[in-house]
Amino acid sequence: MNIQNLMKHAAQHAERQRQAQESSKVMETFRMMIMTTTINDLVNQDALDKTLQKSADKTLQMFKSDCKPSDGEMEQLEAIANLAKVEVKRILSESAKIMRVKS
């Protein structure tokens, strides 16, 4: 394998690493935004699933208006939001358990 091929493979690897890091950042952003929106929306509400869905929808709308994603990208963002929503629900449930134990 010559130096040119090695450089090409290194560049491809670096690009894959960058994409993976970017995906992680998007996932973390979704988690934080959905959690923040959910906590704000949960005041005077006890329907967690409904509230989580509304929060995820709001977050997607913000991304849609700010980023103007294509249909394919929007599909990916919706999938990420659904995964983040499940994670947020788990975190909220765990937090509620901790709060019940402490009180």
Side-chain angles (χ1 to χ4, degrees):
M1 195 177 272
N2 62 28
I3 192 80
Q4 209 170 21
N5 282 343
L6 286 173
M7 289 176 68
K8 180 182 173 184
H9 287 295
Q12 288 171 341
H13 177 71
E15 177 60 19
R16 285 192 297 272
Q17 288 288 93
R18 186 195 64 74
Q19 288 174 346
Q21 288 173 343
E22 192 173 303
S23 293
S24 293
K25 287 178 187 175
V26 169
M27 182 64 145
E28 185 59 27
T29 300
F30 266 112
R31 277 192 207 115
M32 294 305 294
M33 290 175 72
I34 291 171
M35 185 177 300
T36 302
T37 306
T38 301
I39 290 168
N40 287 335
D41 288 349
L42 276 175
V43 176
N44 298 322
Q45 288 188 18
D46 57 352
L48 182 61
D49 288 329
K50 184 178 178 183
T51 304
L52 273 169
Q53 186 59 52
K54 285 172 34 179
S55 299
D57 291 344
K58 284 181 186 179
T59 302
L60 283 169
Q61 279 306 114
M62 286 189 283
F63 265 81
K64 194 174 187 178
S65 64
D66 291 348
C67 301
K68 311 266 188 278
S70 69
D71 288 341
E73 291 170 329
M74 194 62 201
E75 210 171 279
Q76 289 176 337
L77 290 175
E78 287 170 356
I80 292 170
N82 285 331
L83 290 172
K85 187 173 64 173
V86 169
E87 183 70 11
V88 168
K89 184 175 181 179
R90 185 192 63 75
I91 291 168
L92 289 171
S93 296
E94 291 298 316
S95 298
K97 287 178 191 173
I98 291 168
M99 294 305 288
R100 281 192 295 271
V101 168
K102 287 186 176 184
S103 54

